[in-house]
Amino acid sequence: MTESPQNALLGLDIQELSQLAQRHGQPEYRARQLFDAIYPQHLDTLDSVSTLPKQFLTALKNEGVEIGQPSIEKRFQSIDGTIRYLLAMADGETVETVWMPEGDGGETGDGSEAGDSDWERATICVSSQVGCAVNCQFCLTALLGVKRNLTAGEIVGQVTAILNDRGVDLERQRVNLVFMGMGEPFLNYAQFMKAVRLLVEGVGLPASRMTVSTSGIVPRIVDFGSEPLRPKLAISLNAPNNTVRTQIMPINKKWNLELLMQAAREFPLRNRERITFEYVLLQGVNDQPGQAREVVELLRGVRCKVNLIALNSGPGIEFNTPAEENVRGFQSVLMQAGIPAFVRRPRGRDIYAACGQLKRTVA
Ligand code: SAH
Ligand code: SF4
């Protein structure tokens, strides 16, 4: 898969910026000035970097270097305050990124943020690839196939572009990130992890307020467990057994539930940390009480919680959304077995911004 052809500063770490400064015969401290401009200040044009000498700026521009923030092509505003952004990369490829004021109720989901009312909080849902190759049968992004991976700079740039557009002051507002937009982050692992480090060390967002969701790329779950700095882990379970899971998530043929649950059980959790299992409820397919009991068995021995998501429907999706009482019924089986289970409130369904609805629609 090809990478974006841009000549962007976003995505470079401090060592790479040092090399750039050195190549231009600039003193070492210029690298730090560039870093501060791109990440903590998230400036979007070279001309606004007032700390750098004109001649260095000109030399960079002559090389075609830019900061490389994606440009906002469109904003779709939901009645619930959610905004879906269509963002364009340097090569014209577009992805969607979603702003959810007050979060989506699922990023912690366990009430641990209750009482935080002094803070305005919001969640940004970030994409990791242009499209997705995993082909889950209930997901609109899957219909696009995968066009290419995003670079670390393009992943960070989604966040900085939206922080700027929303005028967020990170001193005053709490921002959570969920890597649950378009794409499978663990099929773009190196760039995704580099983006995480830049977001933590540069932009200043703590990894403890980030969650990455994977469809179950087992070897990367193992790698992720040994990262010194990492977001929280969410796994898209979506089925009570291999038969159903293979039917709705073809990736299950490669890494089945035995392999997935083994990786989950062995995942090194931190103090008080839990794995989140996401479960999209599809009417008559995976939403029956007996299937909830199978899920209870599957999750035995894993410190976890479950986020239930009633299907967000869309054109070309063959499944139906279950009735509210089935969703509640499924939830109560899990709860009675001692598994914390939360029903995720859909955000921005009216503008196709909800889970599984991102497909670069232009209206
Ligand atoms: N590719 C990653 C992350 C993005 S998808 C993954 O699959 O985990 C984020 C979540 O949205 C996943 O849990 C997925 O199962 C869920 N999802 C996908 N399509 C959906 C739909 N149509 N309705 C509700 N949730 C959906
Ligand atoms: Fe890809 Fe996730 Fe959609 Fe599956 S649910 S197709 S992994 S984006």
Side-chain angles (χ1 to χ4, degrees):
M1 242 181 314
T2 51
E3 296 294 332
S4 169
Q6 65 183 339
N7 207 354
L9 293 176
L10 259 171
L12 302 184
D13 59 25
I14 191 76
Q15 285 81 21
E16 290 162 326
L17 291 169
S18 293
Q19 287 159 10
L20 180 75
Q22 209 169 37
R23 200 155 49 69
H24 282 269
Q26 293 290 325
E28 180 68 29
Y29 63 85
R30 297 279 180 235
R32 179 51 65 178
Q33 289 175 321
L34 277 170
F35 188 89
D36 288 346
I38 309 165
Y39 301 111
Q41 300 180 50
H42 30 91
L43 301 178
D44 62 354
T45 60
L46 272 177
D47 285 319
S48 49
V49 187
S50 55
T51 48
L52 296 182
K54 272 246 140 43
Q55 156 251 337
F56 182 31
L57 283 180
T58 310
L60 288 174
K61 282 196 266 182
N62 288 344
E63 278 194 354
V65 171
E66 290 168 27
I67 292 194
Q69 238 176 48
S71 62
I72 297 175
E73 298 290 292
K74 281 208 161 81
R75 294 177 191 81
F76 303 90
Q77 178 116 30
S78 164
I79 43 171
D80 66 18
T82 300
I83 304 174
R84 174 167 62 92
Y85 287 87
L86 183 69
L87 298 182
M89 305 300 158
D91 65 351
E93 287 295 349
T94 53
V95 297
E96 297 188 338
T97 311
V98 182
W99 165 262
M100 292 171 278
E102 298 163 39
D104 69 351
E107 65 277 18
T108 56
D110 53 5
S112 63
E113 291 194 341
D116 264 359
S117 51
D118 296 356
W119 281 85
E120 278 185 59
R121 56 186 196 89
T123 299
I124 302 175
C125 178
V126 182
S127 291
S128 56
Q129 297 182 303
V130 182
C132 186
V134 178
N135 203 20
C136 304
Q137 299 297 296
F138 45 79
C139 174
L140 284 179
T141 305
L143 299 175
L144 300 170
V146 67
K147 199 69 183 284
R148 67 170 174 83
N149 281 327
L150 293 178
T151 63
E154 291 170 328
I155 297 173
V156 176
Q158 292 170 61
V159 177
T160 57
I162 285 171
L163 292 177
N164 289 344
D165 190 61
R166 293 292 93 211
V168 175
D169 173 5
L170 289 175
E171 304 268 291
R172 207 170 50 78
Q173 284 166 291
R174 168 166 296 183
V175 172
N176 298 308
L177 297 186
V178 294
F179 298 94
M180 299 186 184
M182 294 167 63
E184 169 47 61
F186 283 6
L187 290 179
N188 185 19
Y189 188 77
Q191 294 297 307
F192 160 70
M193 278 310 303
K194 186 178 189 192
V196 166
R197 289 188 290 271
L198 292 169
L199 285 163
V200 174
E201 291 157 10
V203 181
L205 294 163
S208 57
R209 284 187 216 137
M210 301 178 187
T211 303
V212 61
S213 173
T214 179
S215 56
I217 312 298
V218 168
R220 296 294 86 72
I221 294 177
V222 177
D223 295 343
F224 187 64
S226 60
E227 295 285 352
L229 186 76
R230 62 159 177 84
K232 292 181 282 189
L233 176 65
I235 295 177
S236 296
L237 180 65
N238 295 340
N241 55 51
N242 279 316
T243 312
V244 177
R245 197 162 193 269
T246 300
Q247 182 199 336
I248 61 177
M249 297 180 75
I251 190 93
N252 197 62
K253 284 181 246 168
K254 186 148 187 187
W255 293 292
N256 65 20
L257 278 175
E258 285 70 40
L259 295 169
L260 182 61
M261 292 315 300
Q262 183 187 350
R265 274 190 299 273
E266 291 172 1
F267 191 78
L269 289 169
R270 307 194 173 124
N271 249 347
R272 296 168 50 89
E273 191 184 3
R274 291 170 184 272
I275 296 182
T276 300
F277 287 94
E278 294 149 294
Y279 196 101
V280 182
L281 288 159
L282 312 171
Q283 183 184 51
V285 175
N286 65 358
D287 67 340
Q288 301 301 302
Q291 294 174 316
R293 287 188 285 274
E294 280 184 272
V295 170
V296 169
E297 291 312 312
L298 266 183
L299 299 185
R300 216 171 274 289
V302 190
R303 189 148 35 104
C304 68
K305 64 175 195 240
V306 174
N307 278 346
L308 298 170
I309 317 165
L311 175 75
N312 295 308
S313 54
I317 299 300
E318 302 295 316
F319 301 101
N320 295 312
T321 308
E324 178 71 20
E325 60 187 89
N326 290 37
V327 176
R328 294 294 161 197
F330 202 95
Q331 179 188 27
S332 69
V333 172
L334 300 181
M335 299 284 270
Q336 276 162 24
I339 299 174
F342 304 87
V343 177
R344 218 147 95 172
R345 158 171 76 100
R347 296 296 305 265
R349 257 194 203 169
D350 56 331
I351 54 157
Y352 277 87
C355 297
Q357 292 192 313
L358 302 186
K359 72 168 192 100
R360 304 193 293 166
T361 40
V362 288

